[in-house]
């Protein structure tokens, strides 16, 4: 048998506080008797605890073993149907079907009589079903019992205990009950025979057998035998010996993973001491003493995570008369922390929060580390403000590339310390190399034109043309930026519409859907997508809604809004998975309506119309939970675009709309509003860049940002430098391809022609060597 292993420093500090943090407390006692309650078996069944058998026997005249059930919630014991005969030292446990199995034991009034039988005990009806008994080679009493993770019951060792002799020794016999076949299987025997030991499942694939009387001679063992359930093999050296030899003790595994050996009798007498084996099985320490010394008692782990000691014998061996107790006490054990933390990706300039999901017993303390070093100050590696270093949530605002690394949270309670780590990846958006080129896409014959989306060399939008009946109507347009050639996407049965977004082969927007009445042909604006860039549409309009628009797509899904009728005040957000079917209208009782304005990789973003003002909102998955993105201090807000981990839009502060960018949470908002501007808005984002417009005085100027207000690039100035006839401009979309030029689409007012015209800005992009994108 090996000597106890040296404890680790961390575990020393935790176990030093264990005794101080945990104390036994009394609970309702068993029914009082002159001799207390001795030799009962304890089993937890659901939310209740059972004290099964033992003395004193039932008062029914048959000296049957008593059974009582304890309600943890009510703190009350109730007497149940008794057992058969005056049997003590039974084993008990639950089988895979949840049946309470009682087995073995000796007749207390006639030690040479028949041993206890094996049967199912029901809390309502008492004994219900007889089962196969152990073999004749299994000792009748003083065997240790436990169950494995599959709820197979074990009978381990046993015999005469202190009175064993060389001719009638304590046994090494081990048998296991298989409920499916109703048979007992003989297993590998103990290496060292033992009786009156305590057995427990360690939760790691082993059964531990602690102490007991040695083979003969009455000496108490300190050995802890470890049984490998899968390997059917025993070891006497795998687990360190107990500090003291015990018999009649009980062993339980707490929810903290530690093994608690309670009470029993040592050479010094009946014990109240508790010995605790750490979860790694490396060392023993002394836990908090029980209030009452006891041996041969019932013990179980309750549903309240507490260890219960129930009744027991209080007099030492050979002391007459034998005395017992009906007192019951419990010791709360603490669940170890359990942590989950996901990798995070964010863009330079944003605020980022690393939030761990934590369970386990309170109180807990926390400490964050970066690359193995504890974060102790309030300044992050990149110079941003660092907060929450001793909480579940760490925040860096703003982040820079220097903040990339492995972040680890260590959570500690009296059970132990647990850590979880995940990487934070900080992306850098591109800068620009060379001059910006400006391309005006206004088609000949159009009254006005606007660009709403760009993907590579393709640009979509609308152009307004004269119409003999309706004066003028918008037409959906697709431009080839390499040639400037415009294609009208109006379907043959329609009179116009607008293409509002594209990604890959998915072009979406709306068209005038015709319907016929006795008064002639009418039209409703229906949401749609175009097939392969041709003037052929797939109508996406759900039944029962007259008006709709598809506002955004990520190349897979489509987002937009619908109206019941033309006169409706509030629109309803709608999502079309894979751009098919009639979509799913997302209605919420707390909102009068809303719009889905962006979709990206399974998440949707937009606006919900809630009181007192609309709020920027994100939907986590189709039909999933929703979350307001509006932080404190903002009066109203809206998400207008999303992509690559960012959402952009507006947030109204002190009555002024500010261009804003989020990173998926309210606290991540970064205000893009430049100093001196009277209002601003951001409409689209890609690869850490954002585009929109800034109003300065009476001028509206297309603007590009790289994640901060100070990074604002005046695209209007680039336009006017080449085309001075344009007096105001708006940027509505951006594309940052893996190769090629960054392109920004929008529109600008041509003061000479008196109209808005579709415009595209283009420039070569440049990534710093240390940057990572997408």
């Amino acid at each position: 048998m090996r000597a106890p292993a040296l404890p680790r420093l961390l575990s020393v500090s935790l176990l030093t506080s264990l005794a101080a943090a945990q104390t036994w407390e009394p609970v309702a006692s068993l029914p009082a008797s002159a001799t207390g309650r001795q030799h009962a078996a304890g089993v937890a069944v659901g939310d209740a605890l059972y004290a099964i058998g033992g003395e004193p026997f039932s008062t029914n005249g048959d000296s049957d073993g008593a059974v009582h059930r304890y309600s943890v919630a009510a703190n009350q014991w109730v007497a149940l149907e008794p057992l058969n005969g005056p049997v003590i030292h039974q084993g008990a446990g639950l089988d895979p079907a949840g049946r309470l199995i009682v087995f073995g034991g000796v007749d207390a009034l006639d030690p040479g009589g028949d041993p206890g039988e094996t049967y199912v005990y029901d809390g309502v009806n008492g004994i219900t079903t007889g089962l196969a008994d152990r073999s004749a080679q299994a000792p009748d009493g003083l065997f240790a019992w436990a169950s494995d993770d599959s709820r197979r019951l074990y009978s381990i060792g046993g015999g005469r205990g202190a009175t064993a002799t060389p001719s009638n020794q304590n046994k090494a016999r081990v048998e296991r009950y298989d409920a499916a076949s109703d048979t007992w299987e003989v297993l590998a025997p103990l290496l060292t025979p033992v009786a009156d030991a305590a057995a427990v499942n360690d939760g790691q694939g082993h059964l531990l057998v602690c102490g007991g009387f040695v083979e003969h001679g009455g000496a108490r063992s300190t050995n802890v035998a470890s049984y490998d359930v899968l390997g059917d093999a025993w070891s006497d050296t795998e687990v360190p010996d107990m500090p003291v030899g015990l018999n009649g003790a009980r062993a339980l595994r707490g929810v903290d993973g530690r093994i608690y050996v309670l009470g029993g009798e040592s050479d010094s007498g009946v014990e109240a001491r508790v010995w605790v084996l750490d979860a790694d099985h490396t060392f023993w320490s002394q836990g908090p003493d029980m209030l009452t010394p006891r041996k041969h008692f019932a013990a179980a782990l309750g549903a309240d995570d507490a260890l219960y000691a129930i009744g027991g014998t209080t007099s030492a061996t050979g002391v007459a008369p034998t005395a017992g107790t009906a007192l019951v006490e419990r010791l709360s054990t603490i669940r170890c922390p359990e942590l989950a933390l996901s990798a995070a990706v964010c863009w330079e300039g944003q605020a980022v929060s690393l939030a761990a999901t934590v369970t386990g017993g309170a109180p807990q303390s926390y400490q964050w580390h970066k690359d193995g070093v504890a974060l102790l100050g309030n300044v992050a590696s990149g110079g941003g403000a660092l907060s929450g270093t001793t909480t579940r949530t760490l925040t860096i605002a703003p982040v820079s590339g220097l903040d990339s690394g492995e972040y680890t949270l260590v959570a500690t309670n009296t059970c132990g310390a647990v850590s979880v780590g995940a990487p934070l990846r900080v992306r850098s958006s591109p800068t620009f190399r060379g001059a910006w080129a400006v391309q005006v896409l206004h088609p000949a014959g159009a009254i006005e034109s606007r660009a709403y989306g760009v993907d590579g060399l393709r640009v979509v939008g609308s152009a307004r043309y004269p119409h003999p009946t309706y004066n003028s109507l918008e037409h959906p347009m697709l431009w080839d930026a390499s040639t400037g050639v415009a294609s009208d996407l109006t379907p043959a049965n329609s009179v116009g519409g607008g293409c509002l977004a594209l990604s890959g082969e998915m072009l979406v927007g709306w068209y005038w859907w015709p319907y016929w009445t006795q008064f002639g042909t009418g039209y409703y604006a229906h949401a749609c997508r175009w097939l392969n860039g041709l003037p052929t549409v797939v109508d996406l309009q759900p039944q029962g809604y007259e008006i709709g628009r598809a506002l955004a797509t990520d190349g897979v899904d489509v987002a937009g809004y619908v109206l019941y009728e033309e006169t409706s005040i509030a629109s309803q957000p709608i999502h079309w998975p894979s751009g098919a079917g009639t979509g799913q209208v997302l209605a919420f009782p707390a909102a009068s309506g809303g719009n889905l304005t962006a979709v990206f990789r399974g998440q949707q973003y937009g606006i919900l119309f809630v009181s007192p003002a609309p709020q920027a909102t994100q939907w986590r998955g189709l039909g999933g939970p929703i979350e307001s993105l509006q932080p404190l201090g903002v009066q109203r807000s809206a998400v207008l675009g999303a992509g690559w981990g960012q959402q952009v839009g507006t947030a109204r502060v002190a009555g002024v709309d500010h261009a804003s960018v989020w990173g998926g949470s309210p606290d991540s908002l970064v205000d893009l509003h430049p100093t001196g501007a009277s209002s601003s808005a951001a409409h689209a984002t890609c690869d850490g860049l954002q585009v929109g417009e800034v109003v300065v005085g009476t001028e509206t100027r297309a603007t590009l940002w790289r994640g901060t207000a100070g990074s604002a690039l005046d695209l209007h100035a680039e336009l006017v430098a080449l085309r001075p006839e344009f007096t105001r401009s708006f940027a509505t979309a951006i594309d940052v391809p893996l190769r090629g030029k960054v392109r920004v689409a929008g529109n600008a007012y041509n003061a000479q022609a008196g109209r808005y015209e579709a415009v595209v800005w283009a420039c070569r992009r440049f990534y710093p060597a240390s940057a990572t994108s997408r």
Side-chain angles (χ1 to χ4, degrees):
M1 292 175 282
R2 73 181 186 188
L6 292 175
R8 297 167 298 170
L9 293 178
L10 176 61
S11 298
V12 168
S13 64
L14 293 172
L15 283 167
T16 300
S17 65
L18 180 63
Q22 295 174 279
T23 57
W24 289 87
E25 60 174 344
V27 296
S29 299
L30 287 156
S33 70
T35 59
R37 181 64 176 281
Q38 304 174 62
H39 310 302
V43 179
V45 182
D47 294 334
L49 302 178
Y50 282 67
I52 301 169
E55 302 175 274
F57 302 121
S58 172
T59 57
N60 60 4
D62 294 328
S63 297
D64 291 331
V67 179
H68 289 83
R69 181 175 61 209
Y70 175 74
S71 167
V72 174
N75 188 28
Q76 183 179 16
W77 289 95
V78 176
L80 304 178
E81 289 292 317
L83 306 179
N84 283 342
V87 180
I88 62 174
H89 298 310
Q90 296 109 322
L94 300 181
D95 73 358
R99 300 182 302 173
L100 177 53
I101 309 295
V102 181
F103 60 95
V106 297
D107 189 325
L109 303 182
D110 181 11
D114 294 334
E117 299 174 337
T118 304
Y119 48 80
V120 176
Y121 182 86
D122 180 88
V124 175
N125 301 310
I127 296 174
T128 61
T129 306
L131 302 173
D133 290 325
R134 297 172 304 148
S135 73
Q137 287 72 41
D140 296 341
L142 295 183
F143 55 86
W145 54 272
S147 59
D148 60 25
D149 292 340
S150 299
R151 286 187 173 178
R152 295 175 296 184
L153 299 173
Y154 291 73
S155 168
I156 305 171
R160 298 184 61 184
T163 62
T165 64
S167 61
N168 192 356
Q169 300 177 353
N170 293 322
K171 306 301 182 184
R173 183 78 171 189
V174 180
E175 297 186 13
R176 178 170 65 199
Y177 180 67
D178 179 13
S181 61
D182 188 26
T183 58
W184 287 87
E185 176 187 6
V186 178
L187 304 176
L190 289 162
L191 299 179
T192 306
V194 71
D196 206 11
V200 63
N201 181 344
D202 74 349
Q204 300 176 27
H206 300 83
L207 303 183
L208 305 184
V209 180
C210 305
F213 287 111
V214 298
E215 193 169 12
H216 60 81
R220 295 179 175 89
S221 174
T222 61
N223 182 45
V224 179
S226 175
Y227 176 71
D228 183 336
V229 173
L230 290 178
D232 186 28
W234 289 92
S235 170
D236 282 344
T237 59
E238 186 70 25
V239 178
D241 291 353
M242 292 191 301
V244 63
L246 294 169
N247 74 286
R250 296 293 179 257
L252 296 172
R253 176 166 53 93
V255 295
D256 53 10
R258 295 186 174 96
I259 303 300
Y260 292 75
V261 177
L262 315 177
E265 185 175 2
S266 70
D267 292 344
S268 301
V270 180
E271 297 276 0
R273 284 188 296 182
V274 174
W275 295 101
V276 183
L277 178 65
D278 74 306
D280 292 333
H281 300 355
T282 56
F283 66 95
W284 289 90
S285 63
Q286 190 169 342
D289 288 354
M290 293 187 293
L291 303 176
T292 302
R294 62 185 86 206
K295 67 177 181 179
H296 295 151
F297 55 96
L301 174 66
D304 57 350
D305 294 347
L307 310 179
Y308 283 78
I310 304 164
T313 301
T314 57
S315 58
T317 300
V319 176
T322 301
T325 180
L327 296 177
V328 182
E329 55 188 296
R330 68 182 174 192
L331 176 72
S332 293
T333 61
I334 304 299
R335 291 183 181 271
C336 288
E338 293 184 4
L339 309 178
L341 180 64
S342 298
V345 178
C346 64
W347 294 92
E348 278 192 317
Q350 280 188 255
V352 65
S353 293
L354 297 172
T357 301
V358 182
T359 59
Q364 294 186 17
S365 61
Y366 308 102
Q367 178 62 58
W368 284 92
H369 298 71
K370 177 179 183 280
D371 297 330
V373 179
L375 296 174
L376 302 177
N378 56 11
V379 179
S381 302
L386 185 68
S387 60
T389 57
T390 57
T391 71
R392 299 181 182 190
T393 303
L394 178 72
T395 300
I396 306 172
V399 295
S400 81
L402 295 176
D403 295 311
S404 291
E406 181 78 11
Y407 286 78
T408 302
L409 175 64
V410 179
T412 305
N413 64 9
T414 56
C415 171
V418 178
S419 64
V420 62
L424 170 64
R425 176 185 170 197
V426 180
R427 294 168 166 167
S428 296
S429 57
T431 55
F432 304 99
R433 177 178 291 168
W436 283 84
V438 177
Q439 185 177 16
V440 178
L441 297 176
H442 184 75
I447 299 172
E448 67 174 20
S449 61
R450 301 173 190 265
Y452 297 119
V454 59
D455 186 350
L457 292 171
R458 297 186 305 161
V459 181
V460 295
S462 66
R464 182 175 294 276
Y465 291 95
H467 191 278
T469 303
Y470 301 103
N471 189 30
S472 65
L473 288 174
E474 285 185 86
H475 285 216
M477 304 300 295
L478 171 64
W479 288 275
D480 182 340
S482 64
T483 62
V485 173
S487 300
D488 191 329
L489 299 180
T490 303
N493 64 344
S494 178
V495 291
C499 194
L500 305 181
L502 83 160
S503 179
E505 297 302 317
M506 188 80 75
L507 283 68
V508 301
W510 65 279
Y511 78 112
W512 288 114
W513 173 79
Y515 65 94
W516 291 270
T517 70
Q518 59 181 332
F519 304 107
T521 303
Y523 296 92
Y524 287 136
H526 275 199
C528 71
R529 66 180 177 89
W530 281 266
L531 292 175
N532 302 319
L534 300 175
T536 304
V537 298
V538 175
D539 193 296
L540 299 177
Q541 192 70 18
Q543 188 174 1
Y545 293 85
E546 290 183 350
I547 308 298
R549 279 178 168 78
L551 301 176
T553 180
D554 61 355
V556 178
D557 297 336
V558 178
Y561 72 85
V562 290
L563 290 163
Y564 283 109
E565 54 189 11
E566 290 180 296
T567 58
S568 296
I569 298 175
S571 57
Q572 300 295 324
I574 183 171
H575 172 256
W576 292 273
S578 301
T582 55
Q584 179 180 1
V585 177
L586 306 177
F588 301 93
S592 61
N595 293 341
L596 280 188
T597 55
V599 59
F600 194 77
R601 293 186 175 177
Q603 296 198 159
Q604 303 90 44
Y605 308 91
I607 312 160
L608 277 185
F609 305 146
V610 295
S611 179
Q615 291 189 10
T617 305
Q618 66 178 348
W619 286 257
R620 295 188 179 274
L622 178 60
I626 65 170
E627 179 184 3
S628 173
L629 289 176
Q630 181 165 300
L632 294 175
V634 171
Q635 297 160 319
R636 61 187 299 167
S637 56
V639 171
L640 303 178
W644 304 108
Q646 291 187 318
Q647 306 84 45
V648 294
T650 61
R652 182 168 295 180
V653 180
V656 176
D657 286 334
H658 287 207
S660 301
V661 57
W662 289 267
S665 67
D667 295 339
S668 66
L669 183 144
V670 175
D671 192 334
L672 299 177
H673 189 69
T675 301
S678 53
S679 70
S680 58
H683 296 281
T685 179
C686 183
D687 220 17
L689 301 176
Q690 306 83 37
V691 295
E693 70 273 351
V694 172
V695 178
V696 180
T698 60
E699 289 189 329
T700 302
R701 310 178 71 86
T703 303
L704 180 147
W705 294 268
R706 297 183 66 247
T708 63
S711 67
L713 172 66
D714 189 348
L715 292 176
H716 184 75
E718 304 289 340
L719 170 67
V720 172
L722 299 173
R723 300 288 296 269
E725 67 270 25
F726 290 100
T727 58
R728 55 183 178 270
S729 59
F730 303 80
T732 57
I734 180 172
D735 179 53
V736 184
L738 294 177
R739 295 179 179 83
K741 295 180 178 180
V742 174
R743 284 183 171 81
V744 177
N747 56 84
Y749 186 74
N750 186 330
Q752 292 180 359
R755 66 193 180 201
Y756 280 97
E757 298 181 357
V759 175
V760 172
W761 292 261
C763 189
R764 294 176 60 194
R765 87 287 186 257
F766 169 73
Y767 287 102
S770 60
T772 56
S773 65
R774 303 194 185 179

